[in-house]
Amino acid sequence: MPYNCRHCGGTYCADHRLPENHDCSGLQNWNDPSGVFDSGFDESVNGGTSTSKSASSRVLDALPIDTGPGGPLAYFRGNMTYTFLALMWLTFLAQWLTLLIGGGALHRTLFVLTPQHPEYVWTWVTSVFSHSPGDILHIVFNSIVIFFFGPLVERYVGSRKFAALFIVSGALAGLSQVAIQIYQGPVIPGVGGVLGASGAALAIMGVLTVLNPKLTVYLYMIVPVPIWLLTAGTAIISVFFIGLGTSGAGNVAHAAHLVGLLVGLAYGEYVKRTKTVRTSGQFRLGGGGPGGPGGPGGPGGRRRF
């Protein structure tokens, strides 16, 4: 019976299921005084011995987040994927409450990144966790992709870097879609905008495509395909609609999909070049859904992704 190592993501037989029996990449942190198998979320476990750090590492170090075993945020060590999934569903509930209490105008101000007000910087983040209130499938399909793919990427890069990837890629995806809406014009009050986590979900998929391109994914839970083929198909569809000048065709934010995917591919290549990553082509995932991770279009002229 095959066993999946939760530290490196590889799949091994019973004789090699233990980390020390398959040369697990996490063994180097076995004697880490700040915790066994550091997730990478708390860079301070390096003890400051590194003489040089990348710009991204310095930025991450500046974040006031400490997930050491004894810290108040220790739970998030290795659990950012599930934390973000919980935030998505809590935000979905908050959206409904806002609609019931404050109406559509307040909901749009708080949760939708719009071409009318891209300067509302809070929507750069809230829109990533928000989804179309009138379409439960929107959040369900995004949750499926993040649930299956997110933990693998989080193991590869660490929790803090995963959190940064999720939020930054989602925000860039949304801003790109809004920029195209502004460029295509005209900007009509109360019309347009974007919300959804598909940009972040596709960034996660992009990272996996670079690190483990032969990973098998069950499309629609039935058809087995390598993840690189699913990624290529998503990119082709997005480029096709953008090329036609219909980046929001079917109320799906194709530009946001493409940008999120490109961010993930770029970051995956960076990780591949700077970090030893053990992957396995035997791990099977089920994911996808109608219209891809974004699903079918949402109501109200907003582009969902």
Side-chain angles (χ1 to χ4, degrees), residues 292-304:
R302 293 187 296 271
R303 304 305 178 206
R304 21 159 315 161

Side-chain angles (χ1 to χ4, degrees), residues 194-226:
V194 63
L195 77 175
S198 288
L202 285 166
I204 292 171
M205 195 169 75
V207 173
L208 275 179
T209 300
V210 174
L211 299 183
N212 197 358
K214 295 182 180 180
L215 183 71
T216 300
V217 180
Y218 281 99
L219 185 63
Y220 300 111
M221 305 294 182
I222 300 174
V223 183
V225 296

Side-chain angles (χ1 to χ4, degrees), residues 30-303:
W30 182 267
N31 293 319
D32 175 14
S34 296
V36 176
F37 293 108
D38 173 43
S39 67
F41 200 121
D42 183 6
E43 297 286 347
S44 65
V45 298
N46 292 328
T49 58
S50 176
T51 57
S52 63
K53 290 184 177 181
S54 65
S56 60
S57 295
R58 291 195 296 269
V59 171
L60 288 171
D61 286 342
L63 296 177
I65 301 175
D66 179 9
T67 59
L73 300 180
Y75 169 78
F76 299 103
R77 190 186 184 94
N79 289 306
M80 287 307 301
T81 299
Y82 307 117
T83 300
F84 282 163
L85 282 172
L87 286 175
M88 282 168 49
W89 284 92
L90 288 174
T91 302
F92 191 65
L93 176 60
Q95 288 180 256
W96 272 107
L97 293 176
T98 301
L99 284 171
L100 292 174
I101 297 174
L106 180 59
H107 173 270
R108 187 173 174 85
T109 299
L110 294 179
F111 299 107
V112 183
L113 177 56
T114 67
Q116 293 82 17
H117 296 289
E119 73 278 9
Y120 289 177
V121 293
W122 60 87
T123 62
W124 297 8
V125 176
T126 59
S127 63
V128 177
F129 294 92
S130 306
H131 291 80
S132 302
D135 186 359
I136 190 68
L137 293 180
H138 186 198
I139 188 172
V140 167
F141 286 128
N142 278 341
S143 296
I144 289 173
V145 174
I146 295 169
F147 178 82
F148 283 114
F149 294 153
L152 286 177
V153 173
E154 185 174 356
R155 279 206 281 303
Y156 292 160
V157 305
S159 296
R160 181 162 63 173
K161 292 179 181 179
F162 175 84
L165 170 69
F166 190 97
I167 295 173
V168 171
S169 62
L172 288 177
L175 288 169
S176 300
Q177 184 70 36
V178 164
I180 287 183
Q181 291 179 4
I182 294 174
Y183 173 77
Q184 293 178 340
V187 176
I188 303 173
V191 177
V194 63
L195 77 175
S198 288
L202 285 166
I204 292 171
M205 195 169 75
V207 173
L208 275 179
T209 300
V210 174
L211 299 183
N212 197 358
K214 295 182 180 180
L215 183 71
T216 300
V217 180
Y218 281 99
L219 185 63
Y220 300 111
M221 305 294 182
I222 300 174
V223 183
V225 296
I227 192 171
W228 70 263
L229 185 60
L230 180 62
T231 299
T234 302
I236 290 172
I237 291 173
S238 298
V239 170
F240 174 77
F241 283 108
I242 294 172
L244 291 178
T246 54
S247 62
N251 273 352
V252 175
H254 295 287
H257 284 191
L258 183 61
V259 169
L261 187 58
L262 291 176
V263 170
L265 291 172
Y267 184 66
E269 187 63 30
Y270 169 78
V271 172
K272 184 178 180 180
R273 292 176 180 271
T274 59
K275 181 179 180 181
T276 300
V277 178
R278 182 183 295 274
T279 60
S280 170
Q282 299 177 356
F283 196 82
R284 300 294 186 260
L285 299 176
R302 293 187 296 271
R303 304 305 178 206

